[in-house]
Amino acid sequence: MKICFATNNSKKIEEVKAALPDSIKIVSLKEIGCEEELPETGDTLDHNAFQKARFVKEKYGVDCFADDTGLEVASLQGEPGVYSGRYAGEPRSDERNVDLLLKNLSGISNREAQFRTVIALILGEDEYAFEGVAKGKIIEERRGEKGFGYDPIFVPEGMNQTFAELDMEEKNRISHRGKAVHALVQFLTSKNF
Amino acid sequence: MKICFATNNSKKIEEVKAALPDSIKIVSLKEIGCEEELPETGDTLDHNAFQKARFVKEKYGVDCFADDTGLEVASLQGEPGVYSGRYAGEPRSDERNVDLLLKNLSGISNREAQFRTVIALILGEDEYAFEGVAKGKIIEERRGEKGFGYDPIFVPEGMNQTFAELDMEEKNRISHRGKAVHALVQFLTSKNF
């Protein structure tokens, strides 16, 4: 079984490949001949993930999946959410995004937040999605050098370290994206390809 | 393994039970001593499903899952969506909801729509969700007596019959909820309980 992971992030592809048995072959966008930018204009994670997956399925005729991730902060009514990557505008900058979030939360005592990843999957005519959620809180200053995005200011529930202080393996085990990938992998491997 | 399906719909419980091996025991809200109404005040399917599941997990301390379903109509910018059940107001009425949708679509040629079900799952400290999508179109007049809700005016992609004209078994195979349940079941059974 061959399935395309509709992302240009080779690190993500390697991670999913490592979690799947050899009978499921993951191919990249480049390998199916897609070198164009995927549309991603929705106002929800779901919308964006399905938009990318459907684009690839319709134009290239291959089964595929695509992901989208957002950080949802309770006292900001779920923002930045689907706009997490471009919270502080274009060009995208982790540094400016984190600065803006800290600014918008300054003086606010409720620091609850969650990361959420949606993976939209299209298999033949069927559409599914898998989500992983990591609850936690936003701290007041950056800590840690690993990871990316909002990782330095996010402390997952039940832990003292930020995502940016965890090894990748440990982060994958408890992270939103790790859980969504896990659910996807369980689903794909339980089908008898 | 024991897990609560946070719904008061016994038909849904029976359906999920039938799809699971005996090693996974589904219990109802009543069986865990919950007879109160679950909160469901979000503006997305995800929000509602997680709100219900977290309420049960926090208050009753059991692993659980909860679902929410909406009909998203393209030319109505995704409405009625999370408000599908009460589109025409309270008290909820399938008949008035369908009438209102047909009225709001009268004269509109783009009839594309999709049903979407989200199942939020809480296992220990981990949160996941599973989605199923059924794409199709809204026809102009009701057809069929089975199912419920918007089934009589929804024709799934690649078929000529409405959901209300299909046997339950056939509908479950291709429906949004059937797919979400399938993904959940694959996930639960692939874990070694």
Side-chain angles (χ1 to χ4, degrees):
Chain A
M1 188 233 183
K2 199 174 81 177
I3 187 162
C4 175
F5 186 0
T7 179
N8 286 307
N9 185 327
S10 56
K11 224 168 98 178
K12 288 188 188 175
I13 291 184
E14 286 314 311
E15 186 189 308
V16 173
K17 270 188 181 170
L20 282 168
D22 293 342
S23 56
I24 300 173
K25 184 176 159 58
I26 299 288
V27 295
S28 66
L29 286 169
K30 211 171 170 184
E31 286 172 280
I32 61 167
C34 170
E35 305 213 353
E36 63 197 308
E37 194 152 348
L38 303 182
E40 191 172 14
T41 58
D43 55 6
T44 64
L45 300 178
D46 243 274
H47 188 135
N48 279 347
F50 274 112
Q51 192 180 17
K52 290 187 280 187
R54 285 174 180 166
F55 179 84
V56 169
K57 174 71 177 184
E58 281 161 22
K59 194 150 178 188
Y60 297 90
V62 296
D63 287 342
C64 63
F65 58 92
D67 70 332
D68 201 21
T69 292
L71 174 66
E72 301 166 334
V73 180
S75 53
L76 300 177
Q77 288 75 51
E79 286 190 2
V82 69
Y83 306 108
S84 296
R86 51 203 140 123
Y87 191 37
E90 305 277 1
R92 295 169 178 233
S93 156
D94 285 352
E95 189 176 349
R96 288 189 297 113
N97 288 339
V98 168
D99 284 343
L100 180 60
L101 184 62
L102 289 176
K103 184 175 151 237
N104 290 343
L105 281 176
S106 77
I108 294 178
S109 57
N110 177 4
R111 315 285 296 192
E112 277 176 44
Q114 64 180 23
F115 272 114
R116 192 156 65 87
T117 291
V118 175
I119 297 178
L121 169 68
I122 306 185
L123 276 185
E125 298 294 309
D126 294 332
E127 297 194 346
Y128 304 87
F130 304 87
E131 284 182 41
V133 176
K135 291 205 282 185
K137 60 169 198 258
I138 304 297
I139 57 173
E140 311 219 341
E141 285 183 352
R142 291 170 170 85
R143 284 199 336 241
E145 302 291 333
K146 297 167 196 153
F148 60 95
Y150 300 89
D151 285 355
I153 55 169
F154 183 85
V155 173
E157 216 171 63
M159 302 200 74
N160 296 315
Q161 293 163 295
T162 67
F163 268 169
E165 293 176 312
L166 298 177
D167 291 332
M168 193 193 297
E169 198 178 321
E170 195 168 3
K171 182 187 161 194
N172 284 344
R173 197 176 51 76
I174 61 169
S175 79
H176 44 295
R177 221 161 61 72
K179 289 178 195 164
V181 167
H182 177 60
L184 169 77
V185 167
Q186 298 280 51
F187 182 78
L188 289 176
T189 52
S190 65
K191 293 200 158 280
N192 287 320
F193 295 116
Chain B
M1 188 232 184
K2 199 174 82 176
I3 187 162
C4 175
F5 185 0
T7 179
N8 285 306
N9 185 328
S10 56
K11 227 169 96 178
K12 287 189 189 174
I13 292 184
E14 287 315 310
E15 185 189 308
V16 173
K17 270 186 179 170
L20 283 167
D22 292 342
S23 57
I24 301 173
K25 184 176 159 57
I26 299 289
V27 296
S28 66
L29 286 169
K30 211 172 170 182
E31 287 173 279
I32 61 166
C34 171
E35 304 213 354
E36 62 197 310
E37 194 151 348
L38 303 182
E40 192 173 13
T41 58
D43 56 4
T44 64
L45 301 177
D46 243 273
H47 188 136
N48 280 346
F50 273 111
Q51 192 180 18
K52 291 187 281 187
R54 286 173 180 167
F55 179 85
V56 169
K57 174 73 178 184
E58 283 162 21
K59 195 151 177 188
Y60 298 89
V62 294
D63 287 343
C64 63
F65 59 91
D67 70 332
D68 200 21
T69 292
L71 174 66
E72 301 167 334
V73 180
S75 53
L76 301 176
Q77 289 74 50
E79 286 191 3
V82 71
Y83 305 107
S84 296
R86 51 203 141 127
Y87 191 36
E90 305 277 0
R92 294 170 178 234
S93 156
D94 285 352
E95 188 177 349
R96 287 190 296 114
N97 287 340
V98 168
D99 284 344
L100 180 59
L101 184 62
L102 290 177
K103 183 174 151 240
N104 289 344
L105 282 177
S106 76
I108 294 179
S109 57
N110 177 4
R111 317 285 295 192
E112 277 176 44
Q114 64 179 24
F115 271 114
R116 192 157 64 89
T117 291
V118 174
I119 297 177
L121 169 69
I122 307 185
L123 277 186
E125 299 292 310
D126 293 333
E127 297 195 347
Y128 303 88
F130 304 88
E131 284 182 40
V133 176
K135 292 204 283 185
K137 60 169 198 255
I138 305 297
I139 55 172
E140 310 220 339
E141 286 183 351
R142 291 170 169 86
R143 284 198 338 239
E145 302 290 334
K146 295 168 196 152
F148 60 95
Y150 299 89
D151 286 355
I153 56 169
F154 183 85
V155 173
E157 215 170 63
M159 302 200 74
N160 295 315
Q161 292 163 296
T162 67
F163 267 169
E165 292 176 313
L166 298 177
D167 292 332
M168 192 194 295
E169 197 179 322
E170 195 168 2
K171 182 187 160 194
N172 283 344
R173 197 175 51 75
I174 62 169
S175 80
H176 44 297
R177 223 161 59 72
K179 288 177 195 163
V181 167
H182 177 61
L184 170 76
V185 167
Q186 299 279 52
F187 182 78
L188 289 177
T189 53
S190 66
K191 293 198 157 281
N192 287 320
F193 294 116

